[in-house]
Amino acid sequence: MLRPQDTATRERKSLDGLWAFRLDAESTGRDARWFAGPLTDSVEVPVPASYNDIYADAAVRDHVGDAWYQTTVRVPRGWAGERIVLRFDAATHAASVWLGETHVVSHEGGYTPFEADVTELVTAGEEYLVTAAVNNELTFETIPPGYIEDQGHRRHQKYFHDFFNYAGLHRTVWLYSTPKSYVSDITVVTDVDGSTGVVRYAVEASGEGGADVEVTLRDAEGAVVATGTGADGELRVDGANLWGPGHGYLYELEARLVSGGETVDSYLQTVGIRTVEVRGTQFLINGEPFYFTGFGKHEDSPVRGKGHDDAYLVHDFALLDWIGANSFRTSHYPYAEEVYDYADRQGIVVIDEVAAVGQNMGLAGGVFGTQGFTTFSPETFNDKSQEAHKQAIRELIARDKNHPSVVLWSIANEPESDTEEAERYFEPLFALTRELDPSRPVGFVNVMLAPHGKCRVSQFGDVLMLNRYYGWYVNTGDLEGAEKAWREELEAWAGDGKPIIITEYGADTVAGLHATVAVPWTEEYQVEYLDMNHRVFDSVPAVVGEHVWNFADFQTSLGIFRVDGNKKGAFTRDRKPKAAAHLLRGRWQNLA
Ligand code: GCB
């Protein structure tokens, strides 16, 4: 799905700012047609942002159900005769949208975009109400899952993952125009042939039709390096400047629809020419072995929660650069598209993850206090859950397929994977991912409860991604025992002959807590814990990457084993380095 752009033939208008906002705990708004006029009894809310932490109000923070957002938009006068689209970059987790009194779109899935063609409903120059009912409920049939407990005095959202269920309009809302004949999709796959870069493109056109496709590829200085005609084809670039880790070199593909010598529509797609390949136990980018250093991250910051923020984007990447990280995983959901664009330009490598986290009732019982469920059953994860999971994969790949920074799809984090039901559930998801994108490897993130020899899903992955907490959740405070157990398990996995990425290892650490003899929760323990892990990784050649959990401390749901959130960050929530950050900096700068 293409992002809105300003080009010679298109314009866009951001609807970000303060919107009217009203909670609907009783779920009366839809029947009472709150969209039919200005939202009464409302306050103002910033877009983009999570609403939860904006007010000093537990009812907002812990709200379960619909939250209503409303703004007015004036369609620019100059857009008469154009196709006009209303687009939400994300609404977490589901939304229904009205333009005036007309329902224009509904969408499920909190981290991917959706849009509605509103051409027939608007007149250029006129003003309209835009209303969205954004719902944050998680069920066994949503991605991610959860369930609602009716506690009499309140409905309480339970879930099986460890980050706070922030909700709202987390990303930009757009009104944009395209011509009536328009470029509706572009797919770019690149290859390298000697010193020649190969760019295979496919351009989809929609609308009134009758136009031819022409493409022009320009280098970063704007010089034309290749041209083509036809809806798909292959462009060749002699002496190509490849995209690679630390080298965010981008070409630009202009796709034009041309009719009678006139350009009807023009869309600009950045292109990084690179290859990705798994060979034996190696992960190759441009034919060179790549070793991932970096983090599992979160979209999380004080006040705005999961709202996208360019200041945090640029700052977080500055910290990745400072610490010598070359990559991160978008744990545990697709991030804002701005993040991938920036990663493309910065040469940062991304493992792109679908929001399938928490599909593991074994883990949920122990860690999240939500006992008594079976993971895969007609009442829990069933065919509808699997269909939602498939849809989440489709939307992820449709959105992110053209980013050179994305080198690997992660289709789930720590699901149950040691049962026959899990094997049956996941096999088709791997097949779907490969069918949608044969150009990238695919994997899923394995949990400690399904160790080597027990896991029945890792057979489907091109790489092994392991989350392990030896020395934290097990062998707590016993780094010697942890090292032994960890090495033993890792060596068993290495026998599978696939590259292994350690996608999580970490220890909760309260910044400023110290001890002479390292004990859990102190900065000293986090340092020794990481050191121990690194000794283990360095002794197993199949390990091709290490992602510390987590980049920064982040907010979690209330509970008895988190104090104001998860403290496994190398940085605090406000991005101050703990001692561990300095350790990592030394190691990763050396590895680079
Ligand atoms: C995990 C999860 C991650 C948690 C982390 C922890 O295995 O993948 O979402 O935050 O452990 O700190 O417990």
Side-chain angles (χ1 to χ4, degrees), residues 203-223:
V203 176
E204 272 178 34
S206 298
E208 287 169 356
D212 297 322
V213 176
E214 292 182 4
V215 298
T216 303
L217 189 70
R218 298 187 179 85
D219 67 16
E221 278 74 51

Side-chain angles (χ1 to χ4, degrees), residues 162 332 413-414 467 469 473 504 549 554 562 566 568:
D162 173 48
H332 296 305
N413 181 73
E414 297 193 343
N467 290 354
Y469 289 90
Y473 288 123
E504 289 183 24
W549 189 256
F554 60 90
R562 299 280 188 245
N566 188 307
K568 294 192 186 70

Side-chain angles (χ1 to χ4, degrees), residues 92-120:
T92 314
H93 294 280
S96 299
V97 177
W98 293 262
L99 187 99
E101 296 192 34
T102 309
H103 175 257
V104 292
V105 64
S106 290
H107 181 258
E108 283 175 22
Y111 306 97
T112 42
F114 57 96
E115 60 184 31
D117 182 331
V118 297
T119 314
E120 299 304 320

